[in-house]
């Protein structure tokens, strides 16, 4: 028995990735999509409709219904469930589930969703997309100032769990009084697998504005201020390598073996760090998606003085950063459409026709309100864009995006020599070369399709069998392509970084 199952409960659905550590390969991938497979929950994008656009809440029963459905599919596909010898998981970060009673050991004759209904003290779970807690964040910031950032790794953030809990406790005090436990999505689903309440790990716990990363305990002042009696309603917080419990006998109906170890779940970003093989110091990961995210293993606990980057527990030990640049592919697609060009021109021709540095052309590519730095929408150039040709405009965007990532990741104090890139835009060799030259780092790609669920499977194998992460990275996420930086361009991009910083500052 050498199979490890990694689950990933994300905004849009639930995925499973199964690895065989004896054979060193992925032996199964399964998925349930909320829109197509569970339409009865009326959440095609993963959340319930709401008149208030800032409110984003999901029905937690949908998440457990997805577990039942996914295991049923695996069984029907004749997947050898009995070979699974350990499980862990990844949850969308920050979302919270409110329970009035302990998680029970489930009755196999009834669905998980039906058995969950009577123990929910709140029928909805706010998720990370919720932006309705500005007042709570202002209140927490006024009360604690910079200590929130310096002790929890992030200032008060609207999508984080603490402000969400406060809003619920203040607006619905009776339901709050009935609440016995507040779980994150990760600890909730881990508890469902075990049939009893399980702890929260340092990786996901750090996304709550409640965990003191110096002591690795819930901060008594933050919890007391956030909501009455919150400390007594939070599960314990534990290392990401903890075995949370044993699989409930409920799941034997799907062919899984009761009692196999379930390793504590973590958040999707911490799991992705592991799933792309970035859990050891000196490696950073850039995920080039709708938003671009930069995350990396950190040697010491330091925080972003600008309050844009976050610090979470690293499942491999220590800490990790997470920095989100809202204008990622969103900006690239916008410029492509504005210039009426295709991706080939964007990815290949434009950079072949221009030279590194692009004669100092820079832009602040905020096609929509930006997270890092926190500024409203508005695109600004340091040159007359009407006089520049299309190739110059494209190189300008790509170099500016690479420079903003370097500038706003510098607070970690690490000179990254190796950066793994994932996501749609990582297919562009030109963009990878620009990133290599701007960061003066080796840029690697990996052939990992589902980094969060793979990371969860790797975490399970590490926690259960103590297999070193580096061995697991070598087996499951080694690099498939490498681009080296051109050392001759170091000075050019060091100068441009200074110019970029001055340009950004001049625009407030
Ligand atoms: C991270 C965040 C998102 C969610 C997506 O802070 O809010 O990346 O984790 O599931």
């Amino acid at each position: 028995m050498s199979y490890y199952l990694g689950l990933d409960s994300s905004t849009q659905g639930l995925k499973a990735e199964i690895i065989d550590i004896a054979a060193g390969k992925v032996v199964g991938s399964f998925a349930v999509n909320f829109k197509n497979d569970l339409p009865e929950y009326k959440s095609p994008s993963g959340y319930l409709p709401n008149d208030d656009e800032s409110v984003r809440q999901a029905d937690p029963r949908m998440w457990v219904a997805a577990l039942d459905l996914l295991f049923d599919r695996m069984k029907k596909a004749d997947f050898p469930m009995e070979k699974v010898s350990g499980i862990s998981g990844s949850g969308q970060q920050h979302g919270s589930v409110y329970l009035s009673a302990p998680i029970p050991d489930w009755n196999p004759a009834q669905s998980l969703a039906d058995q969950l209904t009577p123990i929910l003290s709140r029928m909805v779970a706010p998720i990370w997309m919720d932006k309705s807690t500005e007042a709570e964040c202002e209140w927490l910031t006024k009360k604690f100032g910079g200590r929130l950032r310096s002790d929890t790794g992030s200032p008060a953030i609207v999508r984080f769990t603490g402000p969400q809990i406060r809003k619920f406790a203040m607006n619905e005090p009776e339901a709050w009084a009935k609440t016995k436990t507040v779980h994150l999505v990760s600890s909730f689903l881990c508890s469902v697998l075990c049939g009893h309440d399980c702890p929260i790990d340092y990786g996901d716990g750090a996304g709550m504005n409640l965990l003191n990363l110096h002591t690795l305990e819930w901060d008594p002042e933050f919890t007391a201020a956030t909501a009455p009696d919150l400390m007594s309603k939070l599960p314990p917080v534990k290392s990401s390598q903890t075995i949370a419990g044993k699989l409930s006998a409920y799941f034997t109906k799907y062919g899984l073996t009761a009692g196999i170890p379930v390793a504590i779940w973590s958040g999707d970003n911490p799991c992705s760090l592991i799933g792309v093989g970035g859990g050891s110091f000196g490696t950073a990961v850039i995920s080039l998606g709708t938003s671009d995210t930069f995350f990396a293993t950190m040697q010491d606990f330091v925080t972003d003085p600008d309050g844009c980057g976050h610090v979470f527990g690293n499942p491999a030990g220590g800490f990790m950063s997470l920095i989100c640049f809202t204008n990622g592919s969103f900006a690239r697609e916008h410029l492509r459409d504005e210039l009426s060009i295709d991706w080939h021109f964007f990815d290949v021709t434009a950079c072949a026709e221009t030279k590194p540095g692009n004669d100092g052309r820079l832009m602040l590519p905020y096609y929509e309100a930006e997270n890092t730095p926190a500024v409203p929408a508005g695109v600004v150039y340091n040159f007359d864009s009407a006089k520049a040709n299309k190739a110059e405009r494209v190189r300008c965007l790509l170099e500016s995006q690479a420079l903003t990532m370097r500038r706003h990741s510098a607070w970690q104090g690490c000179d990254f020599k190796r950066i793994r890139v994932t996501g749609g835009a990582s297919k562009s060799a030109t963009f990878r070369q620009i990133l290599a030259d701007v960061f003066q780092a080796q840029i690697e790609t990996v052939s990992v399709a589902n980094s969060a669920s793979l990371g969860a499977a790797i975490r399970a194998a590490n926690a259960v069998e103590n297999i070193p992460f580096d061995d697991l990275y070598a087996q499951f996420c080694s690099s498939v392509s490498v681009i080296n930086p051109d050392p001759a361009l170091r000075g050019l991009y060091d100068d441009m970084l200074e110019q970029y910083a001055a340009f950004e500052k001049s625009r407030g």
Side-chain angles (χ1 to χ4, degrees):
M1 295 221 302
S2 56
Y3 284 13
Y4 284 93
L5 165 63
L7 294 163
D8 173 31
S9 178
S10 70
T11 316
Q12 315 275 345
L14 178 70
K15 285 191 188 132
E17 200 92 340
I18 305 96
I19 57 172
D20 178 347
I21 49 160
K25 60 178 189 187
V26 173
V27 288
S29 299
F30 296 85
V32 163
N33 177 272
F34 298 143
K35 177 178 175 201
N36 302 327
D37 300 322
L38 292 166
E40 61 273 34
Y41 288 97
K42 298 184 174 48
S43 305
S45 303
Y47 51 83
L48 294 156
N50 198 297
D51 292 342
D52 181 344
E53 272 295 298
S54 70
V55 172
R56 290 279 187 263
Q57 299 168 332
D59 184 338
R61 290 171 301 183
M62 176 173 76
W63 298 332
V64 296
L67 264 186
D68 269 333
L69 183 56
L70 183 98
F71 288 147
D72 191 49
R73 280 191 176 167
M74 289 172 71
K75 186 183 171 207
K76 287 191 175 135
D78 285 331
F79 186 80
M81 303 293 263
E82 71 287 354
K83 286 194 178 171
V84 173
S85 43
I87 307 180
S88 189
S90 152
Q92 54 172 307
Q93 290 198 254
H94 318 302
S96 45
V97 180
Y98 300 77
L99 301 176
S100 58
I103 293 270
D105 201 5
W106 311 103
N107 173 357
Q110 278 177 288
S111 72
L112 292 171
D114 284 348
Q115 294 178 76
L116 183 62
T117 305
I119 60 164
L120 286 171
S121 58
R122 186 184 189 188
M123 298 314 287
V124 292
I127 63 165
W128 66 280
M129 298 170 88
D130 193 288
K131 291 196 175 95
S132 66
T133 61
E134 264 180 26
E136 287 73 19
C137 287
E138 254 171 51
W139 187 86
L140 286 164
T141 308
K142 223 181 215 163
K143 188 159 175 66
F144 293 110
R147 193 168 90 76
L148 264 180
R149 171 176 62 77
S150 60
D151 288 353
T152 73
S154 304
I157 300 283
V158 283
R159 69 184 190 283
F160 275 32
T161 326
Q164 299 286 348
I165 293 173
R166 179 168 175 79
K167 184 178 162 208
F168 174 58
M170 295 298 127
N171 293 347
E172 297 178 54
E174 281 174 21
W176 176 248
K178 281 192 198 127
T179 301
K180 293 271 180 300
T181 311
V182 182
H183 272 295
L184 289 180
V185 178
S186 58
S187 62
F188 167 63
L189 290 172
C190 184
S191 309
V192 170
L193 288 183
C194 294
H196 59 75
D197 288 284
C198 290
I200 289 177
D201 88 309
Y202 300 148
D204 216 10
M208 301 176 79
N209 282 144
L210 297 172
L211 179 66
N212 190 313
L213 288 175
H214 296 286
T215 60
L216 294 174
E217 283 171 8
W218 300 125
D219 188 286
E221 285 184 34
F222 298 151
T223 44
T226 295
D229 300 324
L230 174 56
M231 187 68 102
S232 68
K233 302 177 197 243
L234 287 173
V237 62
K238 291 269 164 65
S239 141
S240 314
Q241 282 152 304
T242 306
I243 299 294
K246 293 177 177 169
L247 186 68
S248 157
Y250 173 89
F251 298 97
T252 54
K253 63 181 173 180
Y254 301 116
L256 288 161
T257 312
I260 55 170
V262 177
I264 195 168
W265 284 41
S266 189
D268 52 3
N269 291 295
C271 286
S272 285
L273 180 76
I274 301 300
V276 292
S280 40
F281 185 61
T283 306
V285 181
I286 294 178
S287 166
L288 298 165
T290 309
S291 302
D292 292 340
T293 46
F294 183 109
F295 45 98
T297 293
M298 298 171 70
Q299 194 146 40
D300 303 309
F301 173 44
V302 284
T303 59
D304 179 1
D306 296 333
C308 298
H310 309 299
V311 182
F312 302 139
N314 176 347
F319 301 97
M320 67 174 282
S321 59
L322 176 86
I323 311 160
C324 176
F325 300 86
T326 320
N327 287 276
S329 288
F330 183 76
R332 294 184 283 273
E333 278 159 24
H334 204 289
L335 186 65
R336 178 203 58 183
D337 295 346
E338 188 185 327
L339 300 178
S340 306
I341 53 177
D342 59 18
W343 280 127
H344 186 263
F345 183 89
F346 201 99
D347 289 344
V348 181
T349 320
C351 289
E353 288 180 357
T354 51
K355 56 181 195 312
N358 208 11
D359 295 318
R361 290 184 185 84
L362 293 171
M363 69 186 290
L364 304 180
Y366 312 140
Y367 288 89
E368 66 175 35
E370 178 54 65
N371 224 31
T372 310
V375 286
V379 177
V380 191
Y381 296 92
N382 75 343
F383 60 98
D384 184 353
S385 60
K387 290 197 180 132
N389 66 35
K390 293 181 180 184
E392 288 160 346
R393 298 271 307 272
V394 170
R395 182 180 271 280
C396 173
L397 172 64
L398 296 179
E399 289 189 335
S400 298
Q401 287 192 319
L403 287 163
T404 193
M405 284 191 238
R406 181 171 155 194
R407 168 166 162 70
H408 291 286
S409 58
W411 56 269
Q412 295 162 82
C414 178
D415 191 10
F416 296 103
K417 287 285 162 252
R418 196 164 77 136
I419 301 177
R420 295 199 145 182
V421 289
T422 65
S426 68
K427 291 194 189 85
S428 162
T430 322
F431 197 17
R432 299 205 305 273
Q433 186 65 59
I434 289 174
L435 288 166
D437 293 335
V438 167
F439 279 90
Q440 287 292 300
Q442 206 170 61
I443 301 291
E444 301 180 350
T445 54
V446 283
S447 72
V448 170
N450 299 309
S451 58
S453 45
L454 177 65
I458 289 176
R459 289 184 46 246
N462 166 267
V464 174
E465 286 196 36
N466 227 352
I467 306 171
F469 278 113
D470 283 341
D471 294 357
L472 293 162
Y473 299 152
Q475 272 189 307
F476 296 104
C477 26
S478 56
S479 64
V480 291
S481 83
V482 177
I483 287 185
N484 287 307
D486 179 353
L489 295 176
R490 179 186 291 273
L492 171 86
Y493 283 119
D494 282 352
D495 290 349
M496 276 188 92
L497 187 67
E498 277 179 31
Q499 286 153 23
Y500 189 89
F503 181 39
E504 192 192 272
K505 272 195 193 134
S506 74
R507 297 289 157 165

